[in-house]
Amino acid sequence: MEKQELLRDNIRLARLLHVPMPGYPRTQAEFERYFEAMVPTLEGTLQALQLMDEMRTGRVALPPAIPRPLRPLARLALRPFLRLNYLSVVGLLQPRLRDKLGVGWSAREQRELNRIYTLIRIASRVLPDRLTYFPLAYHARKHHQCLEKMRVRQQRSFAYRLPAADAEPARSS
């Protein structure tokens, strides 16, 4: 059930982003066939391996706009976010893909990821939508809610009710 909801949300997001839909997996079975066909074609590119290393170690290139004296502080501030990113990316990868990237996954890392996601789940229940969704998702969700309200209003409104197609028009005498 959760996988079906995830696929449905993915399809909705793909449409919002104008991803070409021909050939896009529509069912869980189609997605699994697509995924299994793609895994052998994937490889750990130099860029992917470098990105993994940067997330894991926290050694990232900072923009030149950050003054040199502030760079150690900026790296320190980025470290928790890089760690979360690393744990999320690697933790959610299928083991075959981890192998292609040459990264391992320990029970300790899994526990750390579980703790972080538990905190995120709790926060998402109490924080307003504006703080829990990325801007694109937030606005797409608000747009969808507006469309749903309009649809409900149309269903209740007499102005949107059309006479049945097979009903005879009223005749004037």
Side-chain angles (χ1 to χ4, degrees):
M1 182 68 168
E2 188 176 349
K3 285 184 177 182
Q4 291 169 340
E5 289 176 21
L6 186 59
L7 180 61
R8 187 178 61 239
D9 289 347
N10 186 282
I11 291 170
R12 188 178 300 134
L13 182 60
R15 284 188 183 125
L16 285 170
L17 296 174
H18 301 284
V19 172
M21 297 312 286
Y24 203 88
R26 303 265 183 205
T27 66
Q28 191 61 38
E30 285 178 14
F31 176 78
E32 287 171 11
R33 283 193 299 276
Y34 168 80
F35 184 80
E36 288 303 320
M38 288 303 295
V39 168
T41 68
L42 301 174
E43 58 185 54
T45 63
L46 182 59
Q47 293 89 349
L49 298 173
Q50 181 180 352
L51 183 61
M52 286 291 168
D53 185 61
E54 289 173 357
M55 286 189 295
R56 188 176 47 77
T57 63
R59 289 188 303 252
V60 294
L62 296 173
I66 297 177
R68 190 172 299 280
L70 295 179
R71 289 180 181 208
L73 184 60
R75 281 196 172 85
L76 188 64
L78 281 175
R79 189 156 238 167
F81 298 104
L82 291 169
R83 181 69 179 162
L84 169 62
N85 205 13
Y86 176 80
L87 290 171
S88 294
V89 169
V90 176
L92 297 174
L93 278 177
Q94 191 184 55
R96 292 183 291 171
L97 298 176
R98 280 188 212 134
D99 291 343
K100 286 181 175 250
L101 291 171
V103 293
W105 188 248
S106 69
R108 184 181 69 69
E109 288 170 317
Q110 185 63 49
R111 287 190 303 273
E112 187 178 353
L113 182 62
N114 289 343
R115 280 193 303 274
I116 292 169
Y117 281 176
T118 298
L119 290 172
I120 290 171
R121 273 193 299 279
I122 292 168
S124 70
R125 290 183 191 135
V126 297
L127 293 173
D129 288 351
R130 194 74 154 131
L131 297 176
T132 59
Y133 285 91
F134 285 106
L136 177 65
Y138 173 80
H139 291 294
R141 191 165 192 258
K142 289 295 177 191
H143 179 72
H144 178 72
Q145 288 170 347
C146 287
L147 291 177
E148 281 300 303
K149 284 180 184 177
M150 287 171 56
R151 188 182 60 77
V152 169
R153 189 171 49 239
Q154 285 175 353
Q155 288 174 341
R156 284 192 241 144
S157 173
F158 180 75
Y160 290 100
R161 293 197 185 134
L162 299 174
D166 56 2
E168 290 184 34
R171 297 181 192 194
S172 56
S173 329

